Amino acid sequence: MARHLITSAIPYINGIKHLGNLVGSQLPADLFARYQRGRGHEVLFLCATDEHGTPAELAAAKAGKPVAEYCAEMHETQAEIARGFRLSFDHFGRSSSPQNHRLTQAFAARLDEAGLIEERVETQIYSKADGRYLPDRYIEGTCPNCGFESARGDQCDNCTKQLDPVDLIEPRSVISGSTDLEPRETKHLYLRQSKMRGELSDWIDSKTDWPVLTTSIARKWLNDGDGLQDRGITRDLDWGIPVRKGEAEWPGMEGKVFYVWFDAPIEYIACAQEWVDAGKGEDWERWWRTDKGADDVRYTQFMGKDNVPFHTLSFPATILGSGEPWKLVDYIKSFNYLNYDGGQFSTSRGRGVFMDQALEVLPADYWRWWLLSHAPESSDAEFTWENFQQSVNKDLADVLGNFVSRVTKFCRSKFGEEVPAGGAHGDRELALIADLERRVRAYEGHMDAIEVRKAAAELRAIWVAGNEYLQDAAPWASFKTDPEAAAMQIRLALNLIRLYAVLSAPFIPDASAQLMEAMKIDDDAWPGNVTEALSVLPVGHGFAVPDVTFRKITDEERADWHARFAGIRS
RNA sequence: GGGCCCGUAGCUCAACGGUCAGAGCAGACCGCUCAUAACGGUUUGGUUGGGGGUUCAAAUCCCUCCGGGCCUACCA
C-alpha cells in the first residue's frame, strides 16, 4: 500500500471562489485523492484557507467586523461550499491557526540560524488617513508616461509601463482616496533565496517528468535577469503571524507580521498538526518528517499557474533552508486558467459562476464532471453554457444515466427486482470483458499520471461500452427466444452498473453512491480484474430502480443561466 | 521592454520526428425499441494560423510574420 500526501493550493479567505479557482486546484486534488483511496492506498488530503494579508483586513473593515471574526466566518462559508462540492479533505485548516503560528515562527528561527534571513531597511508609502503602509497596487495616480489617470503603483494598466509608486503624479490611496501619503523607512526580513539558487536549480532540473508549465515558470524565476531574488517575508500589518524567532522576540521587528506567502505554504504542514489536534489522525510527522516515517510518502501538490513560483522556489527554499528533514514535494500538477464565455472570470465584476451559485443551480456532480473533463491542462480552457449543457446532457444523462435506467427497468419488467439466474457468458461477453480490462488499465494509467482529461475520456468510453454491449446483445430480443440468455445478459449489465459506480466515484461521488445504493451493495473494491468485478452481484441479489440519475439541462435553463451570470453578482 | 505558453475538422480536444493527422460533440444517413426521443452503426468534414528553412520524413525542429493568453517578484 502506497502513501499519498496530497495538498491543494489554499484558497484565499477573501470571498467565494469561482469555478476557475476550483478546477485549478481543489477539484483535481480531490479527484486524485479519491482515486488513490479507491485503489486502497493510504491518503492524507489537506487544504486550508489562506487568511492573512491586506485584502482580508480591508474586506473585514468593509464588512464592519473584526478581521479574526470575518475570517472565521468566511472559513466556515468556504468549508460549507467545499462540502457541497464533495471535496474530501481529511482536514480543512486555517493558516491563522495556532499550529501555523508556532511552525512559521520556528521556520523563521531555523532560517535565521542558517544565515538565510537578512534585515533590510526600505522605503514604503505610508497613508496617514488609512493608518497603514500601502502595497504598490493599493496606490493609484496619473501615469507619468501616458497620462492615464488610474495607473496603479506597480504598473500602468493603460500603457503597461512598470512604475514605482513615487513616480505617480498625484498619488492617492485606493482604499480611502486620501492623498496624504508619505514615504517612510521600515525594516523587513528577507529570505535569501539567492543563496540557494544552485540547490533549487538542481532540484528543478531533476524533475524531468513535471509539466512544462511548472518547470518553465520555475526556470524563468531562477534565471531571469540577475537570477533568483531574495524575497521579503514580513509586512507592516496587524493581521498575521507576529514576527518572532521561534518562541523569542525578534528585536526590531515588533508589531510586524510574516508575509502571507511565507506562512501560507507552511500551513500545509501545520494543517496536518491541526488534523491530529482535531482528533482525526494520530501522527502527522509520519507524513511530513522523512526521519519519522515520511520517507516512503509520495507528495503531490495541485495549483493554478499563478501559484507555481511559490511552490517551486519559495517554499522549497524554506524547507531546504531549514536544514531539517521535512518532506519535499514529489510532483507539482499545475493548471492553466478557465475562461468564462469569451473572457475571464472576474471576482470584482461578478462575471462567471461562483462556487455557491453553481451549487444553487445544479448538483455538484454536474460541475465536477464538466470541469474535470475540460480541465485546463495544456492551455487555458473555456466555459460556455452551450458546451456545458451539451457535454453534461450527453455524457451523464444519455450515456451513463440512461444506461442505468434501461438496464434496471428492463430487468424489473421481465425478471423482477433481483439479479436473474440462468445462462453463461459467451464470446460476446468475453470480448466485452477483455475490452473493459484494457480500458480500466488505461484509465488507471491516466489517473496515476494525473492526466485528468484523458482519464475522463477513458471513463466515458467505459460507459459507452455498456451501451454498445446492450445494443449488440439485445436482451429484449433474446428474451423472447432464449430467456436464460437474456437473464445472463442483464445480470452482466447490472454488475456493470456497480462497476461503473466504483470507477466513476472519483469524478461523480454522489451519483456513484446513488448507484451503489440502488444496487443495494457496499462493496466498492477497485476492480483487480474485470471478470471478478462483474460477478459481485450474485443471482437473486435485490436491487432498486434508481430515480433519474442525471436529469437533462433544458434550453430554457441554459438561456436563463447565461443571462444571470453575465456580470454583476447580486 | 523581457520571458513562457498556445493557435489542429463548425465546437472541445488527441497526436510530443515516422503507417492515409485521430476522438467526442454537432451535421447527414441507416438500424433498434429495453431506456431519460434515449442507444448502436455508417458517414460528411482539416493545404495542422501565413510564409520560409532543416530532414529520407515536419502538426511536431529552426527562422519570420499574424493572432490569443499568462507571468514579470509589494494582490494573493
Side-chain angles (χ1 to χ4, degrees), chain A residues 28 40-41 43 46 48 104 170 173 276 297 338 342 376 449 536:
Chain A
H41 299 309
V43 169
L46 301 174
T104 298
E170 294 180 17
S173 161
V276 170
V297 167
L338 179 68
V536 170

Side-chain angles (χ1 to χ4, degrees), chain A residues 14 44 48 112 296 353 357 393 451 458 500:
Chain A
N14 189 0
L44 183 63
D112 187 50
D296 67 336
V353 185
Q357 300 171 320
N393 284 357
E451 294 269 11
E458 194 59 55
Y500 288 175

Side-chain angles (χ1 to χ4, degrees), chain A residues 345-357:
Chain A
F345 276 86
S346 170
T347 303
S348 57
R349 280 174 295 160
R351 187 169 188 284
V353 185
F354 291 75
M355 287 172 71
D356 56 339
Q357 300 171 320

Side-chain angles (χ1 to χ4, degrees), chain A residues 143-145 152 154-163:
Chain A
C143 175
N145 187 49
R152 288 184 325 211
D154 56 338
Q155 187 176 42
C156 174
D157 282 337
N158 186 51
C159 66
T160 73
K161 186 179 170 61
Q162 285 189 57
L163 303 172

Side-chain angles (χ1 to χ4, degrees), chain A residues 4-5 8 16 101 129 168 221 235 297 304 327 351 360 372 422 431 438 472 493 505:
Chain A
H4 286 273
L5 174 61
S8 159
I16 292 164
H101 277 236
L168 290 172
W221 282 55
R235 291 290 183 274
V297 167
K327 178 71 194 161
R351 187 169 188 284
E360 288 167 16
L372 290 168
R438 272 193 305 277
D472 191 33

Side-chain angles (χ1 to χ4, degrees), chain A residues 36-53:
Chain A
Q36 294 297 356
R37 291 193 198 104
R39 293 300 304 273
H41 299 309
E42 191 180 0
V43 169
L44 183 63
F45 176 28
L46 301 174
C47 191
T49 39
D50 174 16
E51 305 196 358
H52 299 133

